[in-house]
Amino acid sequence: MVGKKIGCIGCGTMGGAVVRAIAASNLDVQLYVSSGHYSKAESFVESLSDLSSGGKARPCDSNLDLVENCDIIFIAVKPAFVMPVIKEIGPAFHRPRVLVSMAAGITISSIQDCVAELAAEESAGEKFVYPQIFRMMPNLPAVYGESMTALCAGKDAGEEEASMVAALLATAGKVELVTEKMMDGVTAVSGSGPAYAFMFIEALADAAVKFGIPRKQAYVYAAQTLKGAAVMALQDERSISELKDAVCSPAGTTIEAVAALERGGFRGLVIDAATAAYSRSVELGRKD
């Protein structure tokens, strides 16, 4: 990993969060960033200057320039722009490189097909070297180093490269290697999941306000409660059901609340919401 050159095409919310996490780590790497507008990449790099590796970050005036300089490239653009970006950077595929796509619904096979078309057109102008391709799905808490990131590898990707990519992503939170068939489900659960959690926090805070708790405190109570429950869910050896039961005293307040949630179809609504996100991710994959 030492001395590796890492690039990110796009410095929006997710791409920016991953780059910022890497910059804040102790990894000895060189960072490069590009954007649709050079001024945005330049401003983003300036914002990293006080971080451990931030001083080594460089803005690039084009995506092609970034790829020419880098060993591992994160593609952090919207799904509709992934293939145009791949075609744009094709001329740089004349030595081994690793591509990691963050786009929801865009399959590894579709990226491989795009790369194969470039190879057939000999767009690189030199001997064409197929990049190793990975796909990832992070989530918004990456901004605070608490991402849940799923990573899957293309059939030609090596174990060493997978380990390097995972190590980079681990700077932004938890990383798990999965098969690609799981990615639509991951998108629906952890990719979209923070929005569901924020809605629950907001609803719980609204209830607190109803009971006379000031709004600012209401959000703290609601958010810290979910944070604490999440830590217990990850670290306690008991099952989720057992943890829930531990809060529900016989004939107490919590079991009344749980009964109300069940009457309202709480579990079914959450499953329906995740299923809607899953279906949309599958649809995006069909359109790529």
Side-chain angles (χ1 to χ4, degrees):
M1 183 70 76
V2 175
K4 286 291 183 181
K5 296 180 178 180
I6 314 300
C8 189
I9 297 176
C11 52
T13 302
M14 291 314 311
V18 170
V19 173
R20 187 173 296 279
I22 296 171
S25 73
N26 293 319
L27 294 177
D28 184 10
V29 297
Q30 172 72 57
L31 295 168
Y32 294 81
V33 179
S34 64
S35 179
H37 300 283
Y38 178 73
S39 59
K40 184 176 180 181
E42 193 173 36
S43 296
F44 177 75
V45 166
E46 288 176 2
S47 75
L48 303 176
S49 60
D50 61 336
L51 302 177
S52 297
S53 298
K56 299 179 182 179
R58 299 287 184 272
C60 297
D61 59 9
S62 73
N63 297 332
L64 183 58
D65 178 45
L66 179 144
V67 178
E68 288 282 11
N69 280 288
C70 294
D71 306 300
I72 299 174
I73 301 99
F74 291 98
I75 301 177
V77 299
K78 293 181 179 179
F81 298 115
V82 172
M83 299 312 166
V85 165
I86 297 294
K87 293 175 182 177
E88 178 187 355
I89 64 178
F93 296 157
H94 50 75
R95 67 176 176 84
R97 286 186 170 83
V98 173
L99 299 183
V100 187
S101 171
M102 297 187 192
I106 303 300
T107 62
I108 289 175
S109 62
S110 65
I111 295 175
Q112 289 172 332
D113 289 345
C114 184
V115 170
E117 289 177 10
L118 294 174
E121 295 169 1
E122 297 183 347
S123 60
E126 301 179 30
K127 183 178 178 182
F128 195 94
V129 178
Y130 282 82
Q132 296 185 47
I133 299 171
F134 292 82
R135 178 182 172 189
M136 60 177 282
M137 175 51 62
N139 63 12
L140 189 58
V143 173
Y144 293 96
E146 292 291 346
S147 179
M148 179 63 250
T149 301
L151 177 68
C152 63
K155 61 182 180 180
D156 298 321
E159 291 185 8
E160 181 180 353
E161 287 74 15
S163 295
M164 284 194 294
V165 174
L168 290 169
L169 294 176
T171 63
K174 186 175 177 59
V175 183
E176 288 196 355
L177 291 169
V178 301
T179 59
E180 190 169 22
K181 67 181 181 181
M182 291 175 59
M183 289 298 279
D184 291 318
V186 166
T187 299
V189 175
S190 62
S192 301
Y196 320 152
F198 295 144
M199 290 180 71
F200 188 84
I201 290 170
E202 187 174 46
L204 201 55
D206 284 346
V209 171
K210 179 181 178 181
F211 307 144
I213 299 174
R215 174 65 67 179
K216 186 175 181 179
Q217 285 180 282
Y219 279 125
V220 172
Y221 273 90
Q224 180 61 38
T225 296
L226 261 70
K227 179 182 178 181
V231 170
M232 287 195 72
L234 289 170
Q235 297 184 8
D236 199 290
E237 293 184 356
R238 288 171 290 180
S239 69
I240 299 299
S241 293
E242 288 174 317
L243 289 173
K244 185 258 299 179
D245 291 347
V247 188
C248 296
S249 302
T253 59
T254 308
I255 192 62
E256 289 297 326
V258 169
L261 287 172
E262 293 288 13
R263 287 194 298 272
F266 178 73
R267 294 173 192 254
L269 284 175
V270 173
I271 293 170
D272 286 347
T275 300
Y278 174 87
S279 297
R280 178 56 176 159
S281 181
V282 171
E283 182 182 359
L284 287 171
R286 289 173 180 162
K287 289 180 178 179
D288 63 30

